[in-house]
Amino acid sequence: MRTPSRLALVSAFLIASTAGAQSARPPVAPGPVNLSQFQQLAHSVYKELVEINTVDSVGSTTRAAEAMAARFRAAGFPAADVQVLVPQGAPTKGNLVVRYRGRGGAGAPRPLLLLAHLDVVAANRADWPRDPFILHEENGYFLGRGTSDDKAMASMFVASLLQLKREGTVPDRDLILALTADEEGGAQNGVEFLIAQHRPLIDAAYAINEGGGGTLEENRPLFHSVQAAEKVPANFTLTATNPGGHSSVPRPDNAIYALATALTRLASFSFPVALNEVTRPFFANTALVEPRAPMAAAMKQLVADPKNAAAAATLSADPRYASMLRTSCVATRLSGGHAYNALPQTATANVNCRIVPTSTLEEVRATIARVIGDTGIHISMTVPSRERFGATPRAVEPELLSATTQLTGRMWGSIPVIPTMSTGATDGRFLRAAGIPTYGVSGIFSEPGETNAHGRDEKLRVKSYYDGLAFLDALVRQLAVKPKA
Ligand SMILES: [Zn+2]
């Protein structure tokens, strides 16, 4: 994932609001002592993946894809169903697609796609207290680059398919595993390459991906989120120009002032509330765990009447809820002027937007133009956007939501399962835009910010790893292996 997940943001808030009562943090619950054969298998896959450097430009996802392919071939998967796909001209950007064939036949449900990315963000040995490309286990944590983003889920999917094969379980639908390149760096050689050049290999009823997970508070599970939509990132450049001149003879017209005026207008503007099939149940469910009564009440009111401006205003007081309600645009970079003693000829600002998936780039650009109300300010895309819009958020696939709710209840008790729209970007956005609904579901629980994905000493609780493994394995079976009548 490329920015902090919605889950981390919301949960950080919910936990913070009860911070008063917190005493010294209890020790992390330990993981299982005697690993089952299945757990040992998953651990060995996890270790193998973490210890292959798959950082863009220095590592290779092809090596990781080949290593997993070797395991599937050794387990007896037909060669035709185990494909390492390397984009032309990108030898280190290999992807793996494995198909575990179901019983098939008339009435067989369409395939299920299990998606995880193999690439990780950079990790400099000098910055870490240990080698980031060795899987360490200390104090109840697995440590290393990719331990949470995203090699845990990758290894769980691999182990689950190998286990199904090992025990000879034939599912009722095909199970497709796609382990991809370039999620962290732009996806041209990953999911987009598979969609563009190998669509039949990954076509599915829907996909399970990263982006969801559970929230812990002092080892206690609080809620379990399912990512069902995500906002689309886009950057706009606002440019003010002016003939300039000598600064000793200033004029009222000034490029920097013009830009500042435009930004001030943008700063006090809020895009209209745009709830959707995902954010409505998000607020309905979050109201159940939201400790602040006025906030919980406002959530219920807004769900009942999305035009309730007072409820929206209450929720907008919290930036995390505000970003769930609407598109957001914020200035993130600024530059202007060319000499201390010259009137500025150019001033530019970058405006980073997180666009609700029901909107479009054009709609946002037009709104920015209207709000700044100055045709002298030029609005352009900072980087050409490859983003796709128009994938209307849809409610979580019923069979997936009910299986997740059932298993969550069985494993973590009566905590809410909450659909979320993440402000962070995953490869799900490309699949959704290509017509394959994608959901972030993992069963991996952590305290907010604890994993430090993308950061130094990335980690994942040992117990959460094996609980996540049990959850995802049970979920895949429940979705793919219908109980015999
Ligand atoms: Zn990720």
Side-chain angles (χ1 to χ4, degrees):
M1 175 168 267
R2 283 207 260 147
T3 46
S5 81
R6 163 100 243 135
L7 162 71
L9 296 175
V10 171
S11 41
F13 170 76
L14 287 171
I15 298 229
S17 61
T18 60
Q22 256 169 16
S23 54
R25 306 187 87 74
V28 167
V33 180
N34 302 315
L35 298 182
S36 69
Q37 225 192 353
F38 178 47
Q39 290 171 325
Q40 287 170 33
L41 169 63
H43 181 268
S44 76
V45 174
Y46 191 35
K47 182 173 171 52
E48 186 172 20
L49 284 174
V50 168
E51 299 186 354
I52 295 172
N53 183 333
T54 54
V55 174
D56 185 24
S57 72
V58 289
S60 165
T61 60
T62 307
R63 267 191 58 219
E66 286 293 358
M68 296 302 109
R71 284 177 176 265
F72 285 109
R73 294 185 191 117
F77 281 67
D81 291 341
V82 180
Q83 303 202 35
V84 175
L85 303 159
V86 183
Q88 206 144 34
T92 64
K93 298 294 177 89
N95 304 267
L96 174 68
V97 177
V98 174
R99 183 177 289 259
Y100 186 44
R101 292 185 182 276
R103 216 172 291 285
R110 293 182 61 217
L112 185 62
L113 175 60
L114 310 174
L115 179 73
H117 62 89
L118 290 169
D119 62 317
V120 293
V121 298
N124 300 325
R125 177 67 188 86
D127 303 341
W128 283 54
R130 70 202 86 233
D131 185 338
F133 297 104
I134 296 287
L135 181 65
H136 304 267
E137 188 173 337
E138 271 171 44
N139 306 323
Y141 287 101
F142 286 120
L143 299 121
R145 176 54 86 226
T147 46
S148 82
D149 186 8
D150 181 27
K151 289 180 174 180
M153 277 186 83
S155 66
M156 292 171 187
F157 286 147
V158 169
S160 197
L161 286 192
L162 289 173
Q163 180 67 18
L164 285 169
K165 178 73 175 172
R166 184 185 276 184
E167 62 188 46
T169 301
V170 179
D172 298 291
R173 67 197 315 169
D174 287 7
L175 292 169
I176 304 167
L177 172 66
L179 299 181
T180 62
D182 264 9
E183 192 276 345
E184 303 288 6
Q188 304 243 8
N189 297 297
V191 152
E192 278 187 286
F193 159 71
L194 294 179
I195 292 169
Q197 301 193 25
H198 298 284
R199 175 68 190 253
L201 288 181
I202 60 162
D203 204 32
Y206 59 92
I208 294 177
N209 186 27
E210 63 173 350
T215 291
L216 291 173
E217 183 192 50
E218 298 186 350
N219 291 347
R220 207 168 40 83
L222 209 58
F223 62 86
H224 193 187
S225 89
V226 174
Q227 188 233 45
E230 52 198 271
K231 294 172 95 173
V232 178
N235 285 292
F236 294 92
T237 296
L238 275 51
T239 306
T241 53
N242 185 281
H246 200 286
S247 65
S248 63
V249 195
R251 295 187 312 274
D253 56 299
N254 176 296
I256 292 178
Y257 292 161
L259 183 65
T261 304
L263 293 176
T264 307
R265 289 177 183 156
L266 198 58
S268 53
F269 171 74
S270 286
F271 281 80
V273 169
L275 289 187
N276 60 48
E277 289 299 308
V278 174
T279 51
R280 209 172 284 126
F282 167 82
F283 283 114
N285 286 286
T286 305
L288 306 173
V289 289
E290 167 58 56
R292 298 168 303 169
M295 279 286 177
M299 289 176 185
K300 291 180 185 137
Q301 288 154 7
L302 197 69
V303 169
D305 169 19
K307 296 212 170 349
N308 184 326
T314 302
L315 291 174
S316 301
D318 181 322
R320 283 154 284 209
Y321 291 144
S323 70
M324 279 299 266
L325 288 173
R326 54 174 66 90
T327 288
S328 63
C329 286
V330 62
T332 54
R333 301 188 75 168
L334 196 58
S335 69
H338 58 282
Y340 290 112
N341 59 354
L343 299 174
Q345 290 166 199
T346 307
T348 64
N350 182 72
V351 172
N352 177 265
C353 294
R354 301 284 165 164
I355 305 171
V356 293
T358 45
S359 179
T360 65
L361 274 177
E362 225 6 79
E363 189 175 40
V364 171
R365 172 210 287 269
T367 304
I368 292 174
R370 179 172 51 77
V371 169
I372 64 176
D374 181 349
T375 52
I377 304 248
H378 179 66
I379 304 171
S380 59
M381 296 298 306
T382 305
V383 283
S385 174
R386 296 195 336 279
E387 302 296 343
R388 310 267 189 294
F389 286 85
T392 310
R394 40 189 289 171
V396 180
E397 192 75 25
E399 68 169 12
L400 176 63
L401 188 58
S402 78
T404 301
T405 306
Q406 257 178 47
L407 290 168
T408 300
R410 203 187 303 163
M411 294 184 69
W412 293 285
S414 61
I415 59 171
V417 171
I418 303 183
T420 62
M421 175 176 72
S422 67
T423 48
T426 75
D427 277 347
R429 69 193 192 285
F430 297 112
L431 284 175
R432 287 186 197 105
I436 301 176
T438 301
Y439 305 98
V441 190
S442 74
I444 299 172
F445 278 66
S446 59
E447 296 231 0
E450 169 185 67
T451 64
N452 206 21
H454 292 207
R456 182 174 167 279
D457 239 7
E458 183 181 346
K459 62 178 75 67
L460 190 71
R461 293 179 180 218
V462 172
K463 181 174 184 322
S464 296
Y465 178 83
Y466 291 112
D467 287 351
L469 174 69
F471 171 84
L472 277 180
D473 181 61
L475 183 68
V476 168
R477 285 168 188 269
Q478 196 154 324
L479 297 170
V481 185
K482 297 294 168 218
K484 298 293 158 273

